[in-house]
Amino acid sequence: MGYDEVIVQLGDFGRYQKIIYVLICLTSIPVAFHKLAGVFLLAKPEFRCALPTDLEGARYELPAQLQQLAYPEKDSCAYYEVAYTNGSYHRLSNSSQSCTRYIYDQSKYLNSAVTEFNLVCGRGFLAASSDSMFMLGVLLGSIIFGQLSDKHGRKPIFFASLVIQVIFGVVAALAPEYFTYTLARLIVGSTTSGVFLVAYVIAMEMVGPTKRLYAGIFVMMFFSMGYMLTAVFAYFIHDWRWLQIGLTLPGLVFMCYHWIIPESVRWLLSKGRNEEAMQIIQKAARFNRVNITKETLVALLDEGVSCKQEVKEEAARPPSVWDLLHYPNLRRKTLVIFFDWLVCTGVYYGLSWSTNNLGGNVLLNFLISGAVEIPAYCFLLLTLNRWGRRSILCGCMLVAGVSLLMTIIVPQQMHWLIVTCAMVGKLAITGSYGTIYLFSSEQFPTVVRTVGMGAASMVSRLTGMLAPYLNALATIWPPLPLVIYGALSLAAGFMSLMLPETHNKPTLETIADGERFGKKEPTDAYLEAGKELEAQPLNAATLNGNGLKH
């Protein structure tokens, strides 16, 4: 008897699992804080060069005549020397000079890391680089903390990530200069993977097979709640250092989980720690008021032994990305999936971080950007098992592409319409992001599923790192980032039509299954839904030793 059947006997999603699941979901909220805080921490207000006559604490606003005479029309990083005589201003020279000091508009932001470290003009790229380094941290964290959690357990790595996140979150707030701030944010970015991904694994391993789709979507909804709460913090806290501290300290609350959250039973079984696994199962059974028979526990022990053997077998024949790229049909599907991940991640974070470029009320734009994710996830819950994965993925990406490209024809003064187009795009790309997780996991065969998902996730971080630089293109033409995101979404939507539908289709087990699946051949083993696969090797000599057994 497998562990999934044991969970069903515990109540599938009993009281114990519900409590643990909700507590774990709450950890998604501070992860959202850190991933989206850059919108406010690195906010770039309007600015001007400080004139020689400007004293410390001078205001941003200037008389209209002085503003026109002192600054070049299309260069905000230079100024002319101006004098005031006989009741009017006049230029002393027609040659401009580069800025040495800056004065910032404080009507929207009291301050930010940009204003404190002067990340404008020649240093403007450093603001985008800081956000990009944060996403690099997310990439590194997914690799480092993922491997550590497999080796040392989910629970200790979860709490280690949480402690590091709080410490370096405070360090970022106290950073005296740009380099320390960026390095601290990179480390915080890495811990978001340690907290969110490890917690997600614990949550999913506590849920029965029939509830995993819903459990995965609701975890993302809690992330969206954290998204919206970030705007609430920014509304009440106007100093960027105190804002960073305010977004970091809630992580301390989750330290008490050490006495509540159990270790993953699946991980304990895979390591042969069956006694500890049984204690957790028995505790859950008592809390759910169900009885677990001795025979079930014996079966659980047997599964633990078999799991440990399977792990050893897989270690002897580790799968690789080469298995996905070596065969034509698998390669075609894998490359399309990688491109979909690239687009979903880049467009999602690009739109999330670009609310400052949309005009109007920045806080309101940000709040709406988070709020539209909730209906997107509700839509997925209602449709994924009815309309199929491919139609939802393609449809959402095409809607995102069209709505974002429409910003080309919207007049710049119509802020509300630009925001509407951007938010429709955000809603649609959120639906795509939620779908691609499930759809791609069903496209990869079991023997390389973990490798394929890990590779897709790693590849997607490249556009996450690129998104801050794309958003910076708004200085050239405000709709340009949205146009790029729209074009990418449209291309990914059409390319996704090349992927075969996986809804109500048998699970792919071997490399041979994956290569045959989706081929337009009369002998396709998948023409009859539910038909058991014939796992014949594509090329016995080539496939030998590539981990065809699960």
Side-chain angles (χ1 to χ4, degrees), residues 534-550:
E534 298 177 7
Q536 297 176 355
L538 299 169
N539 184 317
T542 308
L543 291 178
N544 186 33
N546 281 346
L548 293 182
K549 285 188 178 180
H550 175 47

Side-chain angles (χ1 to χ4, degrees), residues 34 46 48 102 118 148 152 184 197 236 239 283 298 302 337 347 349 355 358 404 421 428 440 445 491 495 517:
H34 291 294
E46 295 293 327
R48 65 177 177 86
Y102 304 92
N118 287 326
L148 289 176
H152 300 290
L197 294 181
F236 288 104
D239 183 276
K283 179 180 178 181
V298 171
D302 291 341
I337 290 170
V347 175
Y349 282 106
T355 49
L358 298 179
L404 293 174
C421 291
S440 54
M495 286 187 65
F517 183 48

Side-chain angles (χ1 to χ4, degrees), residues 18-327:
K18 288 177 182 176
I19 291 173
I20 298 299
Y21 175 76
V22 171
L23 291 176
I24 286 294
C25 284
L26 289 173
T27 63
S28 300
I29 294 176
V31 171
F33 288 168
H34 291 294
K35 283 195 171 183
L36 298 160
V39 173
F40 304 104
L41 300 178
L42 291 166
K44 182 182 177 181
E46 295 293 327
F47 69 94
R48 65 177 177 86
C49 291
L51 300 174
T53 55
D54 283 322
L55 301 177
E56 192 70 28
R59 297 177 61 85
Y60 171 77
E61 296 79 11
L62 288 175
Q65 183 190 16
L66 178 57
Q67 180 79 33
Q68 184 177 6
L69 286 172
Y71 299 105
E73 185 177 353
K74 296 183 179 180
D75 186 0
S76 58
C77 298
Y79 71 95
Y80 298 108
E81 289 194 21
V82 176
Y84 182 77
T85 56
N86 299 325
S88 64
Y89 295 98
H90 62 276
R91 288 180 185 168
L92 297 177
S93 171
N94 285 327
S95 61
S96 62
Q97 300 185 34
S98 299
C99 298
T100 55
R101 293 187 300 126
Y102 304 92
I103 295 176
Y104 298 93
D105 181 8
Q106 294 183 318
S107 60
K108 290 185 178 180
Y109 302 100
L110 178 63
N111 58 32
S112 70
V114 167
T115 65
E116 188 161 332
F117 303 141
N118 287 326
L119 306 181
V120 293
C121 295
R123 291 166 54 87
F125 72 97
L126 293 177
S129 298
S130 183
D131 271 338
S132 183
M133 290 299 100
F134 179 89
M135 291 305 293
L136 175 62
V138 175
L139 169 61
L140 296 175
S142 63
I143 300 171
I144 296 169
F145 290 110
Q147 291 181 348
L148 289 176
S149 68
D150 286 338
K151 183 177 181 180
H152 300 290
R154 319 299 194 208
K155 186 174 178 178
I157 300 307
F158 170 78
F159 285 102
S161 303
L162 201 57
V163 170
I164 296 172
Q165 186 176 97
V166 171
I167 292 173
F168 281 91
V170 174
V171 169
L174 302 177
E177 35 73 36
Y178 170 81
F179 178 78
T180 305
Y181 167 80
T182 300
L183 180 61
R185 284 277 294 165
L186 182 147
I187 295 173
V188 169
S190 69
T191 63
T192 60
S193 296
V195 173
F196 182 76
L197 294 181
V198 175
Y200 182 84
V201 170
I202 295 175
M204 295 300 286
E205 290 178 346
M206 293 294 297
V207 177
T210 61
K211 300 293 191 300
R212 284 179 188 153
L213 170 62
Y214 301 95
I217 296 295
F218 277 108
V219 168
M220 297 178 186
M221 285 187 177
F222 274 84
F223 183 91
S224 301
M225 290 172 56
Y227 192 137
M228 291 182 282
L229 283 173
T230 306
V232 176
F233 274 82
Y235 178 80
F236 288 104
I237 306 175
H238 299 152
D239 183 276
W240 77 272
R241 293 185 182 275
W242 284 108
L243 176 60
Q244 173 65 21
I245 291 174
L247 294 172
T248 298
L249 293 184
L252 292 172
V253 175
F254 300 105
M255 299 297 181
C256 66
Y257 281 16
H258 183 75
W259 295 276
I260 303 173
I261 303 298
E263 180 57 271
S264 165
V265 173
R266 290 186 189 275
W267 182 83
L268 290 172
L269 289 173
S270 71
K271 298 299 180 181
R273 294 162 61 174
N274 300 342
E275 290 296 327
E276 295 174 59
M278 283 195 298
Q279 289 177 9
I280 296 173
I281 292 294
Q282 289 170 333
K283 179 180 178 181
R286 288 193 299 269
F287 199 89
N288 290 346
R289 298 175 183 175
V290 298
N291 294 320
I292 300 293
T293 64
K294 183 178 180 180
E295 289 75 14
T296 301
L297 293 178
V298 171
L300 185 61
L301 281 170
D302 291 341
E303 193 219 8
V305 173
S306 63
C307 281
K308 193 172 181 181
Q309 290 173 347
E310 287 176 7
V311 170
K312 290 180 178 178
E313 289 176 2
E314 290 179 2
R317 300 187 305 275
S320 69
V321 178
W322 174 247
D323 294 323
L324 295 170
L325 300 177
H326 189 64
Y327 306 101

Side-chain angles (χ1 to χ4, degrees), residues 397-416:
M397 284 188 161
L398 293 177
V399 169
V402 171
S403 61
L404 293 174
L405 287 174
M406 284 180 62
T407 57
I408 298 176
I409 61 175
V410 177
Q412 289 302 299
Q413 63 271 21
M414 298 182 67
H415 297 307
W416 67 272

